[in-house]
Amino acid sequence: MSKDKLTPPEFSLSLLHPKNWGVWLGFGLLALVVNILPYRILLSLGRKLGQIGMRYGAKRVHVATRNIELSFPDKPQQEIQHLVEENFKNTGMALIETGITWFWPTWRFKTLIVDKDTHAMREKSKQGQGVLLCCVHALNLEITARAFGVLGIGGYGVFRPHNNPAYNFIQYWGRTHNGNKLIDRKDVKQMIRVLRDGERLFYLPDHDYGRNKSVFVPFFAIEDACTTTGTSILAYTSKCAIIPGSGFRNSDGKYEIMADKCIEADYPQKDEVAAAAYMNKYVEELILRAPEQWMWLHKRYKTMQDENVEKGIRYK
């Protein structure tokens, strides 16, 4: 069976139906803006959009604030407020960064990328071993994924098709620049297959995905954070290498790409609880490289270990 099992969406005249005009107009405007404005102005524009979003997104402000309070109970309120403000500015930048990723030509995109340390990834690729590249939901994740492709070490991303066919077409096209490919998020067998075949798979184990195939282990200051067991399932069944990866924006506006160490040697993959706790330590390490650029707007601690306790009670 072909590794490219997910059928790429093809362009058809039906995508130009009037019901899709808003999608085409929105992405067309985004493509125009990111290609005509200088990068420094785009940075400022994104941060302004984030500030506007914070002003009108009280519910998300509350979620981000609670996440940070729960994760860092000793952090002063003033520091928490500052981190929330910076996080929203980076959230606004995420829209601009998506446009940059999907619509910039490769020659221009390369000017933003710094290969800080990807030796572990390259070494495993030379050996022909599959790599589970464990990243986090950084707000610049779109840029990070394309950056790995630009650096010649791209791989397969986990893809959730969009309900709108025009949006889905643009999204798929935008995410498969520079050699990256996509796998349906529900196709676990295909994920295992590409890893066994020596390919690289982008995987994000940092969110609360619900009780199914999850365990409750420490994450920052929360002792019972709902954490996926997907990492251990993929690693155990494929015998792949496990490498934490990141691509955070530095103070110069460049994106530092890292995939510098293999962690599978001590990874307790046969013990799903110990494995999830082990992985969370590396997830924390990645987030702390640039905490203002992580997706604090997601309810990371919504699923409770006790099923009788209301889901999301920590955010009341």
Side-chain angles (χ1 to χ4, degrees):
M1 184 181 294
S2 170
K3 287 182 290 188
D4 303 319
K5 186 177 179 181
L6 180 65
T7 303
E10 296 182 355
F11 180 80
S12 66
L13 291 178
S14 64
L15 296 180
L16 300 179
H17 189 280
K19 68 179 181 181
N20 297 324
W21 286 359
V23 173
W24 288 109
L25 179 62
F27 279 114
L29 180 61
L30 179 60
L32 179 64
V33 168
V34 298
N35 277 289
I36 65 174
L37 293 181
Y39 177 61
R40 289 294 173 183
I41 293 180
L42 290 174
L43 281 175
S44 297
L45 176 60
R47 293 172 72 84
K48 288 294 183 183
L49 289 173
Q51 289 175 313
I52 294 172
M54 184 174 181
R55 186 178 304 168
Y56 295 101
K59 289 184 179 179
R60 287 298 160 186
V61 171
H62 174 70
V63 170
T65 302
R66 283 297 293 147
N67 273 331
I68 297 169
E69 289 173 344
L70 292 165
S71 299
F72 310 108
D74 297 328
K75 188 180 287 292
Q77 195 61 39
Q78 185 176 358
E79 290 184 21
I80 292 174
Q81 179 63 24
H82 176 71
L83 181 52
V84 171
E85 291 173 359
E86 289 302 309
N87 191 236
F88 267 84
K89 291 175 184 177
N90 279 279
T91 301
M93 265 303 300
L95 173 62
I96 301 299
E97 288 166 331
T98 297
I100 288 172
T101 304
W102 293 4
F103 304 121
W104 268 22
T106 300
W107 67 265
R108 189 180 182 191
F109 186 84
K110 284 181 176 179
T111 64
L112 297 181
I113 305 306
V114 177
D115 185 348
K116 188 168 184 179
D117 191 346
T118 58
H119 78 275
M121 185 86 141
R122 295 182 186 280
E123 186 62 30
K124 290 298 179 181
S125 295
K126 288 180 182 178
Q127 296 172 6
Q129 184 178 7
V131 174
L132 187 63
L133 184 66
C134 292
C135 301
V136 297
H137 283 84
L139 294 162
N140 48 43
L141 184 61
E142 295 283 351
I143 280 194
T144 301
R146 185 180 178 186
F148 275 103
V150 164
L151 294 173
I153 45 176
Y156 285 78
V158 178
F159 181 67
R160 178 184 180 276
H162 198 277
N163 293 330
N164 181 282
Y167 192 113
N168 190 57
F169 174 81
I170 296 168
Q171 176 180 244
Y172 190 98
W173 177 85
R175 289 181 174 175
T176 52
H177 279 308
N178 302 109
N180 283 334
K181 300 177 182 179
L182 298 172
I183 295 177
D184 190 285
R185 62 173 182 159
K186 297 180 181 179
D187 197 346
V188 178
K189 290 183 179 179
Q190 189 73 351
M191 296 178 200
I192 295 170
R193 186 176 296 114
V194 299
L195 288 170
R196 285 177 173 172
D197 287 348
E199 301 285 356
R200 296 170 290 271
L201 177 71
F202 296 94
Y203 191 70
L204 285 72
D206 57 326
H207 271 188
D208 179 344
Y209 295 112
R211 193 174 299 278
N212 186 38
K213 291 185 174 61
S214 295
V215 292
F216 292 84
V217 295
F219 184 64
F220 288 120
I222 298 298
E223 292 297 316
D224 57 350
C226 185
T227 303
T228 180
T229 58
T231 310
S232 57
I233 293 171
L234 292 171
Y236 180 71
T237 53
S238 70
K239 311 302 180 186
C240 66
I242 307 173
I243 300 178
S246 65
F248 294 109
R249 187 185 338 102
N250 63 22
S251 58
D252 295 324
K254 306 287 187 178
Y255 297 83
E256 298 180 346
I257 307 303
M258 294 182 66
D260 59 333
K261 56 187 173 186
C262 299
I263 65 171
E264 71 275 5
D266 298 319
Y267 183 67
Q269 53 187 288
K270 293 183 179 181
D271 182 339
E272 61 181 16
V273 175
Y278 182 89
M279 191 68 242
N280 272 356
K281 291 298 182 183
Y282 286 97
V283 168
E284 291 173 10
E285 181 181 300
L286 292 177
I287 292 170
L288 291 175
R289 288 178 181 175
E292 75 283 357
Q293 295 179 43
W294 190 61
M295 194 182 292
W296 292 104
L297 281 67
H298 161 78
K299 291 184 178 180
R300 179 58 184 88
Y301 306 113
K302 64 179 180 290
T303 304
M304 306 300 292
Q305 186 168 15
D306 186 345
E307 295 187 54
N308 296 316
V309 177
E310 179 185 356
K311 186 176 182 179
I313 189 68
R314 291 184 171 116
Y315 299 91
K316 297 295 185 180

